[in-house]
Amino acid sequence: MAMTQSQGVADALTRRTGHAVELVGVTTQGDVSKALLAQIGGTGVFVNELRDRLLSGEVDFAVHSLKDLPTAPTPGIALAATPARDDPRDALCGPAKLADLPNGARVGTGSPRRVAQLRALRGDLEVVPIRGNAPTRLSKVTDGELDAVVLAHAGLRRIGRLDSVAEVFDPDQMLPAPGQGSLALECRADRPDLIELLGTLDDPLTRAAVTAERTVLAVLEGGCSAPVGTYAAEVEETLHLTATVAAYDGTRQIRMSASGHPDSAEQIGRDLANRMLGQGADQLMGERD
């Protein structure tokens, strides 16, 4: 999937600017480890090696899934562009919609956020922790090991596997991860030429939405493995943001919304997160079975 995403960015950059792009594959800790993300450090396991190569000058820019990026700024690294976002929603892959799965169905996901929201939707489910790339996870359904798995709709589209989708979760059912469906293009902060070049792919609507979402995560001090869901979208020049923190067992959640001008995306996210903290969001994030 990473190579497919990167090739799409390379092709778009060449079309937009005329500059040829050579892809350089980099294997990260998150790619090779079979442990759950929370066990190997969570945020950063997919990006640290790429950033090392950026800082050393081995590569000019890196393409990430934005939801994998730590929210704290990294010295020497610039987020040069957030291209137009794909569908940010989660998708259930299997033979039937969630409501039609049998009682006690086994549903696989490696995300505490999805675990918490799945259990809130159906407390009878057996939610099974899984790792691996999308084809590996999908094979667990076709092989009969699991009844269904939950994956990002955007990733399934990028690898041409939308045929596996039984249901796409509306944000009212399951809020996606902050930045889900969006890519991030990073380069060295001391390369204004690259920042300008990559900036030709930046989408202001996407940047405002993901800025609000990721600010919620940053203020809550959660990483990519925290049970935090967010979704922001602009309607008639107003940015609407919704966020949730759910207990891991699905029995409780704090869900709030806020709106404002897209230029104030960071402040909208900060204010919403502080309201959630006032309702005990930090305690919910720290709970486990």
Side-chain angles (χ1 to χ4, degrees):
M1 187 182 301
M3 293 299 288
T4 300
Q5 292 176 171
S6 298
Q7 187 63 61
V9 169
D11 293 343
L13 191 62
T14 299
R15 287 194 302 270
R16 189 72 57 90
T17 68
H19 286 269
V21 178
E22 176 189 354
L23 296 188
V24 178
V26 177
T27 301
T28 70
Q29 181 187 8
D31 296 319
V32 298
S33 176
K34 297 187 182 301
L36 297 176
L37 291 185
Q39 297 172 336
I40 56 175
T43 303
V45 298
F46 290 107
V47 303
N48 292 335
E49 288 88 346
L50 287 165
R51 285 175 165 175
D52 288 344
R53 284 162 175 76
L54 278 178
L55 293 172
S56 70
E58 183 178 337
V59 299
D60 293 309
F61 72 95
V63 180
H64 309 283
S65 293
L66 182 58
K67 69 177 183 178
D68 294 333
L69 287 189
T71 53
T74 299
I77 299 290
L79 177 56
T82 53
R85 189 182 204 174
D86 283 331
D87 190 331
R89 296 176 296 174
D90 288 308
L92 183 76
C93 299
K97 294 182 177 181
L98 187 69
D100 298 325
L101 291 176
N103 189 63
R106 292 167 53 83
V107 179
T109 176
S111 162
R113 171 189 61 83
R114 290 172 179 151
V115 171
Q117 294 187 90
L118 280 170
R119 288 174 169 170
L121 290 170
R122 278 195 51 180
D124 64 289
L125 296 176
E126 181 183 353
V127 186
V128 180
I130 56 173
R131 279 296 314 277
N133 59 29
T136 297
R137 299 186 188 203
L138 291 171
S139 69
K140 294 181 182 296
V141 178
T142 56
D143 293 346
E145 182 179 342
L146 298 172
D147 293 293
V149 294
V150 180
L151 297 168
H153 186 279
L156 291 164
R157 187 197 65 79
R158 289 167 188 157
I159 64 171
R161 291 301 305 270
L162 289 180
D163 60 308
S164 302
V165 175
E167 180 178 9
V168 179
F169 291 113
D170 186 271
D172 287 340
Q173 298 172 281
M174 182 178 293
L175 282 170
Q180 185 162 302
S182 181
L183 299 178
L185 312 187
E186 287 190 328
C187 67
R188 280 171 46 162
D190 61 358
R191 291 291 306 272
D193 56 328
L194 274 176
I195 294 174
E196 181 179 2
L197 183 72
L198 297 173
T200 62
L201 297 181
D202 193 61
D203 180 67
L205 297 181
T206 295
R207 186 174 280 264
V210 300
T211 294
E213 294 172 6
R214 284 168 54 78
T215 299
V216 171
L217 189 65
V219 173
L220 294 178
E221 297 184 349
C224 66
S225 60
V228 177
T230 62
Y231 177 63
E234 183 178 336
V235 179
E236 297 180 350
E237 298 186 1
T238 298
L239 188 68
H240 300 277
L241 171 67
T242 301
T244 187
V245 173
Y248 198 66
D249 63 5
T251 58
R252 292 175 296 148
Q253 62 178 309
I254 296 169
R255 185 183 178 108
M256 294 184 172
S257 298
S259 300
H261 195 277
D263 290 347
S264 302
E266 183 175 349
Q267 192 61 49
I268 294 169
R270 186 172 302 281
D271 291 345
L272 181 58
N274 282 323
R275 286 170 51 205
M276 296 176 76
L277 286 172
Q279 295 297 314
D282 50 341
Q283 282 85 10
L284 278 188
M285 285 197 304
E287 292 182 3
R288 281 293 186 267
D289 285 341

